[in-house]
Amino acid sequence: MSAIINDIEIIKAKTTKINEVDFDNLTFGKVFSDHMLECDFKNGSWQAPKIVPYQGITLDPSAKIFHYGQSVFEGMKAYKDANEDVWLFRPLENFKRLNISSKRLAIPELPESYFMEGLKALLEVDKNWIPTKEGSSLYIRPFVFASGKGFHASPADEYKFIICTAPSGAYFSGKVKVLIEETYSRSANGGVGFAKAGGNYAGQFYPTQLAVEKGYQQVIWTDDTNHEYIEEAGAMNIFVRINNTLVTGPTSDRILDGITRKSIIELAKAEGIPVEVRKISVKEVVEAAKNGSLKEMFGAGTAAVISPISGFGYKDADYDLPEIADSYGSKLKKIITDIQTNKSEDPFGWRFKVE
Amino acid sequence: MSAIINDIEIIKAKTTKINEVDFDNLTFGKVFSDHMLECDFKNGSWQAPKIVPYQGITLDPSAKIFHYGQSVFEGMKAYKDANEDVWLFRPLENFKRLNISSKRLAIPELPESYFMEGLKALLEVDKNWIPTKEGSSLYIRPFVFASGKGFHASPADEYKFIICTAPSGAYFSGKVKVLIEETYSRSANGGVGFAKAGGNYAGQFYPTQLAVEKGYQQVIWTDDTNHEYIEEAGAMNIFVRINNTLVTGPTSDRILDGITRKSIIELAKAEGIPVEVRKISVKEVVEAAKNGSLKEMFGAGTAAVISPISGFGYKDADYDLPEIADSYGSKLKKIITDIQTNKSEDPFGWRFKVE
């Protein structure tokens, strides 16, 4: 069965898997909707995207994604409100960042219409897959990778842009304790740390495994020169509250320009919370924990939304962060999710209606 | 048709593509032999490898290779001598390094027998694909990547180990001029630069494109702190000859422990060439170029063998390196390729007969 939505060709799946899904007990990114968007770059240009059944991708064994890690991705979420209206959050920011990442990875940039119209058509086709239970959403994964062939270590001549979606619950289950890293690093000055490049994530897995063995869930990365400054947590940016001031590190070529991060900064300012965007030294955080001025820490990202951090480890010592009554994290999380899910006004114009 | 070689199951291709190949005009890594080795990690262990026809690999769109760059690889070459004997060069070093890379990328390590016996069986089956023309060889590409599903940013639960081969000529066509990098970086202290991880290569493509636009073929990477010291060229380690001393940088967590590199160091010492393994500053190289003590530079790697560098650029100035009569690079290249191709004695025990 074939149709056209927003000029996008739709090839519908013959059957649906939706009845196999327990929408009351969703985990993160493990079940996938019936369709996906597929778009090929070949002969020097992006071809028209189409919606196809969610299905396997067949590649030559010499496809450069297998050898040279040439890939970038985005993370987004769709929400459905009580009126069955579907909402995205600042989707153009994801589109722009995808192209910023692509440029750094020598991947051809995508036209905006292929991304936006394709995404809207996909959400239209799989609208029934968008969960409505509080705390759940349809996680959206746009990604681009090198499908072109050959063992020469140079950019591919063919790419695939795909969007898959996965009805999902919370990214973290339970409390998040973090380890401030002293040995390993996530990214180099002049490197690709600011990009959502696949290789940035694989490099974090082993140090994160070591942290997990010690009882932490995530690593807080520090600069690779002296491990002196807090950077980000790999899957989220980090906010620190010292007394009543909310502090987060500046973005750089090593740190992802998080969309949740920058939204939180604006929201906090609008709420009258003092916000500082500046380098945060590990020493400052440890001293604040010791003298009681460190009130809370949280991570911010699309998948994690706002995740409170219950404590951190550094140099074999543990520092607890008990929950506090007037938590900035809880307050800001409610404000941002109410905007995202159309439960409140949106003075910033961030909410985007899919229609 | 099925058979067993070295305990490895062989499923033979029904037809051969060998007659389509012009063995007198081979480029690098663009045509592929009839078979490949395939080995799956699932349910917590590596399954028995088998040889199958060279064919497409089908993966779920959520396979972690597409999203998180979890992949490592090796590069090797097979040679066939006048007696039709097949030779590898220090293959156990590649096997060990593959596992060193895998460990850093949180990929399960491979058993030695799967790698070595699998490779030998593959070379036996595709023996006719090994070129004999001088300067050509069968390039061998073992690689491991995450095939397990899911959008959670954590190691996959399934992997594929594959070996493909490609009859190949020279990696570089023509002279190699390099640009000493002042802005971008290849790897971080505490990062994955020492591993042959896919993501290390994708990150180099864009800065290399910028260098190519300026008339260079490769970038010489420098440390990410101050761009003060020469590191490696991404596809090869770098050697510098100052007066009569051959100098190369020490390996580190940012620099690949190249097998050609360490062989060259040993060969040079055996030839009575003074060798220093120490940090080389950009300043030293530029000053040596200016005062005439910089006699030659070359890159060393499996794909590139020894590639003479005809000049370098730094801070908008170009420094030429004319060919010299008693070139260390030419001399060492002849010695190492004679060992590799069984044209000379092998006092080091590096040559490995495939039988």
Side-chain angles (χ1 to χ4, degrees), chain A residues 3-111:
Chain A
I4 304 283
I5 301 179
N6 301 334
D7 285 329
I8 310 280
E9 186 192 355
I10 318 277
I11 299 165
K12 279 222 176 170
K14 289 187 181 125
T15 55
T16 179
K17 300 167 292 181
I18 201 164
N19 298 322
E20 298 161 26
V21 180
D22 178 0
F23 278 83
D24 286 328
N25 294 289
L26 291 168
T27 56
F28 182 84
K30 282 195 179 164
V31 293
F32 310 101
S33 313
D34 285 330
H35 299 88
M36 64 188 203
L37 178 128
E38 194 169 13
C39 180
D40 284 315
F41 181 91
K42 55 187 177 187
N43 302 323
S45 65
W46 285 105
Q47 311 296 306
K50 55 187 176 188
I51 310 285
V52 298
Y54 186 90
Q55 59 192 347
I57 300 165
T58 301
L59 297 171
D60 194 84
S62 77
K64 293 201 180 190
I65 179 62
F66 296 132
H67 305 274
Y68 302 126
Q70 208 186 357
S71 68
V72 296
F73 72 93
E74 274 299 321
M76 309 168 75
K77 283 177 174 173
Y79 308 90
K80 193 158 60 180
D81 67 17
N83 296 323
E84 298 271 305
D85 285 329
V86 176
W87 302 93
L88 294 167
F89 185 71
R90 309 184 79 177
L92 277 172
E93 296 293 319
N94 294 95
F95 165 70
K96 286 179 201 159
R97 192 173 60 185
L98 185 68
N99 274 349
I100 289 170
S101 298
S102 286
K103 186 176 176 188
R104 182 60 182 84
L105 275 291
I107 292 172
E109 292 169 53
L110 272 167

Side-chain angles (χ1 to χ4, degrees), chain B residues 103 119 163 184 189 227 237 267 277 298 307 333:
Chain B
K103 186 176 178 189
L119 175 56
I163 308 180
Y184 296 100
N189 301 299
H227 300 288
N237 295 106
L267 280 180
V277 177
F298 57 84
S307 288
K333 182 177 180 180

Side-chain angles (χ1 to χ4, degrees), chain B residues 104-121:
Chain B
R104 181 62 181 83
L105 276 290
I107 293 172
E109 293 170 52
L110 272 167
E112 184 181 316
S113 65
Y114 284 11
F115 184 94
M116 288 303 296
E117 299 309 310
L119 175 56
K120 281 153 58 179

Side-chain angles (χ1 to χ4, degrees), chain A residues 54 57-60 68 185 189, chain B residues 54 57-60 185 189 198:
Chain A
Y54 186 90
I57 300 165
T58 301
L59 297 171
D60 194 84
Y68 302 126
S185 301
N189 301 299
Chain B
Y54 185 90
I57 300 166
T58 302
L59 296 171
D60 194 85
S185 301
N189 301 299

Side-chain angles (χ1 to χ4, degrees), chain A residues 178-182 218-222 229-234 238 240 297 309 312:
Chain A
V178 296
L179 180 66
I180 298 181
E181 184 61 52
E182 300 164 55
Q218 290 268 294
V219 167
I220 293 199
W221 299 101
T222 48
Y229 294 97
I230 281 178
E231 306 219 306
E232 57 150 287
I238 291 293
V240 171
M297 288 172 76
I309 290 168
F312 69 90

